[in-house]
Amino acid sequence: MKEDIRSVMLNEFEKQVDEIISFSSNESNFNQIINLINHQKNCWRVCRFDIQNLGNEFNRINILENFNNLYIDFPSWFRNHQGQGCQIQGSVTALNLKFQCVNDGTLRIMLRGVDYRNLEQLRSPVYVNYTTFKVNNELIFDENILTWHDQPYEFEISTNDKDILDIYLEFKSIYEYYPSLLNIFNDVSNFEELNEEYSKFKKQIKIMHILDPFNEGTDSPLDLYQIINEDTSVLGRDVENLSYNSFLSFYNNYLNVLEMKKYIAQLNSKIESLENKLRDYENVIESDNEYFNTIFLNHTLKPNRLLFNVQTLCLELLSLIGKICKKYDIKWWLDYGTLLGSIRHENFIPWDDDIDIGMMRKDYHRFIDIIYDEIEKNNLADYIDIGYRWRKFKGKGINSFLQFYMRDEKIGDHPLLAGVDVFPYDFMKDYDDTLGDSYNVSMNNFYQTIWNGSDFSKLYMGLDYSEVIDKYYAELNLTYDENKFIIPGVEGSFGHNANLYELCVLQYSDIFPLSENKFNEYIFPVPHNSHSWLNKIYGNNYMRVPKTMRTHDRLKLLRNVPDIYNIFENRIEILKEANKNFKY
């Protein structure tokens, strides 16, 4: 780097600050001075490059891709008989831009600094040191080019209509060399503090000027030591008794700090670049989310053959459960994702592949007691399994909520074709704001208790109800009888949905009396106030398609199973026959 680049930038920066501060000697507003300083500091962070596709009045460029969230403008003053020009500014030290030329022409690019005006409205230099410039990955220069608004670096290239160009730039602002200048005058609140800070700034500038040649490695620490001793006011203290060894220790520490500041500046630049990219990605996600909402909420979509088979089999399972529950007067309702699908789509969530239902604890136990016999009576024992969701607790597998599913061993290690998850709920007599901590303790105790059981084929790992449920009910003031509050059973909240790790308390009127809602071609029971429950589970935007989707990946596994469509058609036919001939 040319030896004078840093000093040229620093001299001009200092001159501009001096001019603003001298303005305060007049009767001026303190806030005006601070605003002027902040504006001046911000201008020194930014590079500017102007692009014009010279030809006729219809020549211009179209921005195709902005990699760094730059400020891009097509100002009226930059339009003439040769075409419309584009002004681009950015503070990220590595810039990328892709654009397309409209009409044949000569592309002119001017690399410069921003248009900064002093107090007399005269343009003052804000220097930018451009270090790398590429056009379509062709290196134009790889050296230090110091520019400002009135002394730009100009580059021209002939272009044809619809030519696409990719510009890459790297530059260094004054803050790359002197990071501490970013913080000057940041914490002043009155003229007295302003004057104190200005005095510190002048000493800091003097030290920077002296240290500059040593930052470039052009002199030795001994030379610097001699310079400081010649001007004892530089450091703002008496240095006559400062030994060379003491100074050398200070100097080495200074170099270490300088390297650290440079590293921090590089990291800050990367952070700013990543933040800009994140904003770009968020804009894309927002846009895509609007597309999905338009498609999924305003159009009727049909699933492909495999998903259609899975959902059809799920519906037949649910229809069978509905008949069994009606036979034994067991109350149940659509829950979680299935409830959301019913309310938002009047069908499955378009990408969903299972069913969720809820029951109060007494009905949940009764359902488990009778379901095995009903499967036998309907000749489905070879096709339907009753199991419990496997959870890991303290390094051991344990049972959780009930799963009712149809399997086929011929499809390998993952025999599940379709399933229904059954979640228990509990009545609560009363609660206060401190119950959340007790709930977490009780949830841990619940799983610790069944951790001691070993029979995976039975509810609560084969332990008696009283060993598990009675203690759980006593700890949380729960009851089997109808009461004014309802909470999701601890089995469902354990790792189900993020909103359910903490205690969620429902009013009785949120669930009962049960209502009905359309789901596919059926009408099924749903909570009395489904909107209140869904709001608690999924948040107040649950009627919109989410930005991220959670799936079970079941279709990926089934897609590779030989003869999978015939297997589904067989199972669907078996269930339809069972539902058709079901005896109450």
Side-chain angles (χ1 to χ4, degrees), residues 5 12 86 102 126 185 297 330 400 437 533-535 581:
I5 284 182
E12 184 59 37
C86 177
V102 177
V126 169
F185 306 105
L297 301 183
I330 293 173
S400 186
D437 292 337
W533 181 215
L534 289 172
N535 184 66
N581 298 320

Side-chain angles (χ1 to χ4, degrees), residues 130-193:
Y130 289 94
T131 58
T132 305
F133 179 33
K134 295 179 182 179
V135 176
N136 284 347
N137 212 32
E138 179 181 346
L139 184 65
I140 308 303
F141 66 73
D142 186 13
E143 59 179 321
N144 295 291
I145 305 292
L146 189 65
T147 72
W148 67 284
H149 184 279
D150 289 1
Q151 295 179 357
Y153 171 88
E154 296 190 23
F155 172 81
E156 291 188 354
I157 184 174
S158 296
T159 57
N160 298 318
D161 183 34
K162 297 184 180 179
D163 275 357
I164 294 177
L165 287 90
D166 193 330
I167 290 180
Y168 177 77
L169 277 175
E170 291 182 11
F171 76 94
K172 290 185 177 181
S173 73
I174 193 171
Y175 304 118
E176 302 301 308
Y177 306 114
Y178 310 106
S180 61
L181 292 179
L182 269 173
N183 301 318
I184 60 170
F185 306 105
N186 280 354
D187 300 317
V188 297
S189 57
N190 53 56
F191 275 116
E192 182 179 353
E193 292 179 359

Side-chain angles (χ1 to χ4, degrees), residues 32 75 125 150 182 250 290 410 416 435 439 448:
Q32 184 178 358
D150 289 1
L182 269 173
F250 156 79
E290 287 302 319
K410 289 184 292 185
L416 182 64
L435 188 63
Y439 177 79
Q448 181 61 57

Side-chain angles (χ1 to χ4, degrees), residues 393-435:
F393 182 79
K394 294 188 176 180
K396 178 180 177 181
I398 56 175
N399 283 342
S400 186
F401 56 83
L402 177 71
Q403 292 188 301
F404 182 94
Y405 56 93
M406 179 161 266
R407 57 180 167 77
D408 191 305
E409 299 298 340
K410 289 184 292 185
I411 67 176
D413 296 334
H414 302 279
L416 182 64
L417 295 172
V420 178
D421 293 339
V422 186
F423 296 98
Y425 285 72
D426 299 295
F427 288 112
M428 176 179 280
K429 297 176 185 176
D430 208 348
Y431 81 100
D432 58 37
D433 293 339
T434 65
L435 188 63

